[in-house]
Amino acid sequence: MPKGKKVIFLGAGLLCIVSALLSLGLGAASLSPRDLWQAICGGPKDTAGWIFWYARLPRTAACLLSGAALATSGAVIQAVLSNKLASPSIIGVNAGAGLAVTLCCALGFLSGWAIAASAFGGALLAVLLVVFVAEKTGASRTTVILGGVAINSFLNALSEAVVTLVPEAGMSRGDFRVGGFSSVSHTRLIPAGILIVAALALVLTLCNELDVLSLGEDTAQGLGLSVKKMRTLFLILAAMLAGASVSFAGLLGFVGLIVPHAVRKLVGSESRYLLPLCVLGGAGFVTCCDLAARLLFVPYELPVGILMSVLGGPFFILLLLKRKGGKDHD
Amino acid sequence: MIKVENLSLSYPGHPVLSGVNLSIPAGKVTVIVGPNGCGKSTFLKALVSICPCDSGTILVDGQNISRYSTKELARKVAYLAQNRQVPDISVLRMVLHGRFPYLSYPRRYKKEDFSIAYEAMEQMGIEDLAEEPLNALSGGTRQKVYIAMALAQDTPAILLDEPTTFLDVAHQLQMMEHARFLAEKGKAVVMVLHDLSMAMQTADQLAVMAEGRLLRCGEPEMIFNSGCLDSVFGIRVCRFQTPEGWQYYYQSNHKRA
């Protein structure tokens, strides 16, 4: 690996570790490193132990997992649809998962596995719908996005309708809609976490396939890649990642779009750098944002989705402005 | 090397190819010409089973292509598509992907793949560009990268769909030299071309297609004498003697008043 890239990876890794440690320690009640250590060793016995095991640890894990999952899902979707505007929140994947989770709650299935599975199912259906529309209409790059945006607002509207008709389905809806980690629990996190880790592991072994796929359909086929099969597999994995993340973190928007782009600016589009750095960068970014959301207005807490857009928007525009002079063949 | 027998193919609603017979020998350049929409590109795609055929057989190395897996076929026939996305990756990576059909678990390019990729880049004279990003290169250089990728694929046959599109004249001529070079290495080279004089100059075997049929196939001289180009394109193909042999050019049939 070239030296510049090593430094970038090291930095992203550090960002993850530091933000995770801070996220474990800081909050409405701060835990000193010694408290932390005792809590880790002692289990949930005293107050500090309770805070650590039942609030901080699930929350930090949730931040890391959802950040990694959404960023990677975004990168994969962008490569497969060969469209840089695509991301799980824009083409309706998150909305599909959101609708499925809302329906699941409205029908009274509240177990962690039921919610994670339905979120994955909803995300997958949304992806397949987008692909179907794209293939039927001839799949120009703009059409994919337009179709996705339409599906997105349609699915979101359905979710709203369900919540209006069955108010109980909207437990902590406010948090769900913009995304947030204040109500993360073990029961929801563990099944989703398993899905995310499995999907990430698989995606990371398929870097070459993703690169060859983004050479274009005909070229990829000519190189011996079964295009249809691989594309479906990648979309299923992307739906798994995004869906699982939505099931506990709600509709976090921005991560899936800006993290892949920011990472691409840093290390280029080769998947073997892009995907791992998306995992690290996404995890670190979301954890930092969540940390800030908790600390900025103590004892009040901002939903992290809001903060992410406030921080991420300008940062992204800055990145776009910095890219002066670079050639771009779109 | 490749033998096509009675190939027919249709897209939903309309036939594209009907009853095409063609044999593509190793070590020769076969050029396919024909008016727009006559099925040339589809024909190439059928040879690498991107477009599945309705009837007829395609034999590669004596074996029907339906009996090859996608990867196995990619080790026999390299195909450079006409419409290509330009990914944001380095030249070396691009050429390395020519080794994709040979990848097995754990799916990493090995030393051997790297040395084959470097060799291919040297043959195309682009080894200095290994770390350059592909989308910063000019069209002509990029074309060399694609050919290096096909070389790295190490197949006995190479199909090139309109390899001269977007290239200036000098690079077009260079492309023809590359095609001859590939044939001299013993590969079966198939090209779709629009420029008739270039096709006549380069081809060992010229195949003329129109409306999904293969009208005639043979040495350029024979095709010229048959007058079939004139009737297919509705033009007049002429030639004159030069010290390097025949030069071909073409004129419109419609005389100006």
Side-chain angles (χ1 to χ4, degrees):
Chain A
M1 196 187 288
K3 202 176 160 212
K5 287 186 174 131
K6 246 181 219 165
V7 172
I8 291 171
F9 268 90
L10 219 62
L14 267 179
L15 175 76
C16 271
I17 293 170
V18 170
S19 62
L21 285 178
L22 287 177
S23 166
L24 288 173
L26 300 177
S30 289
L31 303 178
S32 69
R34 217 182 57 201
D35 293 340
L36 267 185
W37 182 245
Q38 276 171 355
I40 294 171
C41 299
K45 279 184 207 139
D46 51 357
T47 326
W50 272 91
I51 294 179
F52 176 79
W53 285 100
Y54 291 114
R56 295 285 165 74
L57 185 64
R59 183 166 192 160
T60 305
C63 290
L64 292 171
L65 282 170
S66 72
L70 286 173
T72 312
S73 171
V76 169
I77 288 179
Q78 284 167 11
V80 172
L81 297 181
S82 66
N83 195 316
K84 290 182 179 169
L85 276 176
S87 88
S89 57
I90 287 177
I91 64 164
V93 181
N94 282 2
L99 174 62
V101 170
T102 312
L103 271 178
C104 201
C105 293
L107 294 173
F109 300 109
L110 295 173
S111 87
W113 277 107
I115 287 175
S118 68
F120 165 55
L124 187 62
L125 277 181
V127 162
L128 294 179
L129 206 57
V130 173
V131 172
F132 174 76
V133 169
E135 280 186 357
K136 281 287 159 197
T137 54
S140 90
R141 292 179 180 196
T142 335
T143 321
V144 178
I145 294 296
L146 285 177
V149 169
I151 289 167
N152 188 38
S153 63
F154 172 70
L155 293 173
N156 275 334
L158 285 187
S159 293
E160 296 300 325
V162 171
V163 174
T164 314
L165 296 176
V166 192
E168 310 86 78
M171 337 142 299
S172 72
R173 274 288 297 183
D175 216 19
F176 189 80
R177 215 181 306 168
V178 289
F181 300 98
S182 53
S183 51
V184 170
S185 63
H186 283 118
T187 45
R188 280 210 190 182
L189 189 58
I190 289 171
I194 293 173
L195 278 184
I196 289 176
V197 171
L200 281 180
L202 198 54
V203 164
L204 290 177
T205 62
L206 295 174
C207 287
N208 280 324
E209 275 79 356
L210 193 60
D211 279 350
V212 170
L213 193 61
S214 47
L215 298 182
E217 201 169 316
D218 290 345
T219 309
Q221 187 89 34
L223 286 171
L225 185 87
S226 311
V227 169
K228 283 219 165 96
K229 241 187 272 170
M230 273 332 275
R231 193 192 294 155
T232 315
L233 176 63
F234 276 120
L235 288 176
I236 289 175
L237 289 173
M240 246 166 103
L241 290 169
S245 153
V246 167
S247 75
F248 62 82
L251 304 175
L252 281 178
F254 234 33
V255 194
L257 182 65
I258 68 160
V259 172
H261 276 288
V263 167
R264 210 171 271 133
K265 296 273 169 295
L266 289 172
V267 295
S269 299
E270 285 173 28
S271 302
R272 70 207 163 108
Y273 299 131
L274 180 70
L275 294 181
L277 198 60
C278 274
V279 171
L280 291 176
F285 176 65
V286 171
T287 314
C288 282
C289 285
D290 182 59
L291 201 60
R294 264 187 280 167
L295 296 178
L296 277 181
F297 300 103
V298 173
Y300 300 103
E301 196 177 289
L302 283 175
V304 68
I306 293 179
L307 192 87
M308 216 175 270
S309 300
V310 170
L311 288 180
F315 171 68
F316 191 52
I317 291 174
L318 205 73
L319 266 181
L320 291 180
L321 291 176
K322 250 188 79 182
R323 196 193 48 181
K324 275 180 291 185
K327 275 198 192 176
D328 203 10
H329 294 260
D330 259 323
Chain B
M1 171 62 215
I2 303 179
K3 205 166 167 59
V4 181
E5 284 164 2
N6 208 14
L7 172 71
S8 295
L9 189 157
S10 57
Y11 290 143
H14 65 107
V16 184
L17 298 173
S18 42
V20 175
N21 291 295
L22 181 64
S23 133
I24 298 162
K28 295 265 160 77
V29 176
T30 303
V31 175
I32 305 176
V33 296
N36 286 331
C38 72
K40 300 170 302 235
S41 294
T42 308
F43 178 65
L44 288 195
K45 287 185 188 175
L47 296 184
V48 280
S49 61
I50 292 175
C51 294
C53 52
D54 300 338
S55 64
T57 50
I58 302 171
L59 302 177
V60 170
D61 260 354
Q63 189 181 323
N64 197 318
I65 59 165
S66 60
R67 295 187 42 209
Y68 289 108
S69 73
T70 325
K71 276 203 169 177
E72 282 166 355
L73 189 60
R75 289 177 215 158
K76 296 281 180 192
V77 186
Y79 166 71
L80 292 192
Q82 185 183 358
N83 300 316
R84 297 185 294 237
Q85 296 168 18
V86 181
D88 179 18
I89 62 179
S90 71
V91 168
L92 173 62
R93 263 297 124 175
M94 188 69 203
V95 177
L96 264 180
H97 284 319
R99 303 299 298 165
F100 185 80
Y102 300 88
L103 267 191
S104 55
Y105 212 77
R107 304 179 182 287
R108 297 188 56 144
Y109 293 117
K110 293 193 281 285
K111 262 205 182 123
E112 184 200 346
D113 297 318
F114 275 88
S115 63
I116 291 174
Y118 271 107
E119 202 180 305
M121 286 193 289
E122 268 164 36
Q123 288 185 17
M124 296 312 296
I126 50 169
E127 68 273 22
D128 296 337
L129 303 174
E131 295 306 322
E132 294 289 312
L134 195 64
N135 57 10
L137 302 179
S138 71
T141 321
R142 210 180 287 156
Q143 193 69 9
K144 287 187 193 171
V145 177
Y146 279 99
I147 297 173
M149 178 171 93
L151 275 176
Q153 208 172 331
D154 194 20
T155 53
I158 293 190
L159 316 180
L160 306 157
D161 196 354
E162 291 187 34
T164 53
T165 332
F166 307 124
L167 296 186
D168 62 38
V169 224
H171 281 108
Q172 290 189 23
L173 290 173
Q174 208 175 34
M175 182 62 228
M176 294 306 108
E177 282 165 27
H178 295 328
R180 299 261 19 132
F181 164 75
L182 293 171
E184 274 151 32
K185 285 171 64 87
K187 295 179 191 288
V189 180
V190 185
M191 271 194 289
V192 168
L193 288 181
H194 275 302
D195 187 326
L196 288 181
S197 63
M198 206 172 266
M200 302 289 261
Q201 288 287 314
T202 315
D204 296 307
Q205 168 175 259
L206 193 66
V208 186
M209 285 181 70
E211 290 168 8
R213 294 177 180 281
L214 186 83
L215 296 185
R216 212 170 262 271
C217 176
E219 287 176 8
E221 176 98 21
M222 187 273 262
I223 300 284
F224 173 79
N225 289 331
S226 75
C228 108
L229 289 171
D230 298 27
S231 59
V232 164
F233 289 97
I235 54 164
R236 222 144 40 84
V237 181
C238 318
R239 65 176 180 182
F240 57 92
Q241 187 93 51
T242 68
E244 284 87 41
W246 290 107
Q247 284 285 347
Y248 297 84
Y249 64 101
Y250 36 91
Q251 290 182 326
S252 165
N253 248 344
H254 310 290
K255 290 247 171 67
R256 277 194 209 141

